[in-house]
Every structure is written in C-alpha cells, then in structure tokens.
Amino acid sequence: VADICSRVSRTKEVKALVITGAGDKAFAAGTDIAQFLDFESGEDGIAYERKMDSTLDAIERCAVPTVAAIAGFCTGGGAAIAAVCDFRIATANAQFGFPIARTLGNCLSLANYARLANLIGPQRVKEMILLARLFDAPTALQVGLVSEVLADVAALHARADALAATLAGHAPLTMQVTKEALRRLQARMAEDNIDDLI
C-alpha cells in the first residue's frame, strides 16, 4: 500500500484511493507476530517501529484522499493503516483494536499514539490498548473512529466507490494542502523520541 501511495503521489494517476481487505473476514489482522520471536534486543523493536512508521507515513502523505473500506477484523498493523487513511467506513461486523496488552506486550510508536489520540481522544486510546479492547462497529462510529457503518461488504464497496467519486470531483489542491496541514499539526504531537520506551 505504501508503494502505491508513493507512486500515486508522483504520477497523479488517480484522484482518490480506496484501501480494503479481501472478503469480509478482515481488513488486515495486523503483523505476523511470529517475526517477533527472532528479535534479540530492544533495537530490533525500534527498527520494526521505524519501518512501520515509514510505511504509515507514506500512506498518510499520499497526495490524494484515502478511504479505508473496512470489513471484519482491523487490528494491530491493520488498525494503524486504517487510522492513517483520510476516511474510514466499515461494515457492521467490523472489529478494531490493538490487543497488544494481551498478545505481544509491546507498545506503539509515538506517531501512532498521536494519530489515535487525535482520532478518538486519549481516554479511548487507553480503553482500546490498556484493556486490549476491540471496538465493534457501533462503538467505532460513536467514538469517531469510522464515519459510517454499512450493512455488508457490497454496501461497503458501493459507498467507498461513491466517496472516491465525490473526492475525485473536488479541487485537488484544496485536498492536498488540507491533508498536509493537518498532518503537520498532528506531527507536532509526535516530535519527542520514545525509543527508550519501545
């Protein structure tokens, strides 16, 4: 996805981008946790978070609006991808979260904490991460994590296409500048380095 976003930013070949999973079981269930078994030091964790931040940054900096069309599980790295998209819509069976407190026992990067706090507020971030709570679609809608909940995958894709068409018809400069201005505001929250915490 990051490579596509980088290419689209250079070529301007599309005016909006929809990111979705295959089917209705998962948008993305996150990182393969088996890779963490090979970590030998804290530096491995820092390198992983930097790579993840680089990927998410490419999506967030995409020159065109991005729409996450979410069905099923959207957890861990998948939830991070959805969080950097400009719009998030979901099916009624969607589940969102970072269950790391009961799985890996790791943490997120400061950029990810800042993104989530901007989206849903610090208290909801604590509920999601400290309690390892998955937010169902109605809760995600209530807290502002998604803007719409659709009945099923067919309705989700139809709405994602309609959103993309609307966005494609709007002034690209307005959208690009607005996206970048808001990204810069959010980036100020993540200026500190938390490698020591990771």
Side-chain angles (χ1 to χ4, degrees):
V1 175
D3 291 340
I4 292 168
C5 287
S6 295
R7 187 184 81 219
V8 164
S9 293
R10 284 190 319 273
T11 65
K12 309 288 194 275
E13 62 195 84
V14 297
K15 294 184 178 185
L17 188 62
V18 175
I19 300 169
T20 193
D24 64 352
K25 300 228 181 322
F27 172 77
T31 303
D32 177 5
I33 61 174
Q35 72 177 311
F36 295 105
L37 298 174
D38 295 330
F39 283 16
E40 295 179 4
S41 71
E43 291 301 316
D44 292 330
I46 291 168
Y48 169 81
E49 287 301 332
R50 286 195 177 135
K51 180 180 179 191
M52 192 70 186
D53 276 343
S54 174
T55 298
L56 297 172
D57 188 61
I59 298 167
E60 193 168 44
R61 288 178 183 264
C62 189
V64 301
T66 53
V67 177
I70 303 158
F73 286 97
C74 183
T75 56
I81 289 169
V84 298
C85 290
D86 299 309
F87 298 91
R88 285 159 305 285
I89 59 175
T91 57
N93 75 333
Q95 298 277 323
F96 303 85
F98 296 85
I100 55 179
R102 73 168 184 260
T103 56
L104 293 173
N106 64 330
C107 63
L108 304 179
S109 71
L110 187 57
N112 280 323
Y113 286 124
R115 287 178 185 113
L116 290 171
N118 277 338
L119 280 174
I120 62 174
Q123 185 58 44
R124 294 296 188 173
V125 174
K126 289 177 187 178
E127 289 175 29
M128 184 181 282
I129 296 177
L130 300 183
L131 297 174
R133 180 178 171 200
L134 295 182
F135 287 8
D136 61 17
T139 303
L141 180 64
Q142 176 191 355
V143 302
L145 188 54
V146 300
S147 58
E148 298 177 51
V149 174
L150 292 304
D152 55 32
V153 174
L156 176 75
H157 291 298
R159 180 63 182 136
D161 289 346
L163 271 175
T166 297
L167 292 164
H170 290 170
L173 184 59
T174 300
M175 291 187 288
Q176 190 171 356
V177 169
T178 300
K179 283 173 50 96
E180 179 59 14
L182 293 171
R183 189 200 64 76
R184 288 182 190 184
L185 281 173
Q186 179 181 289
R188 290 182 183 165
M189 287 181 64
E191 286 176 351
D192 289 340
N193 183 311
I194 64 163
D195 285 357
D196 60 319
L197 300 178
I198 292 172

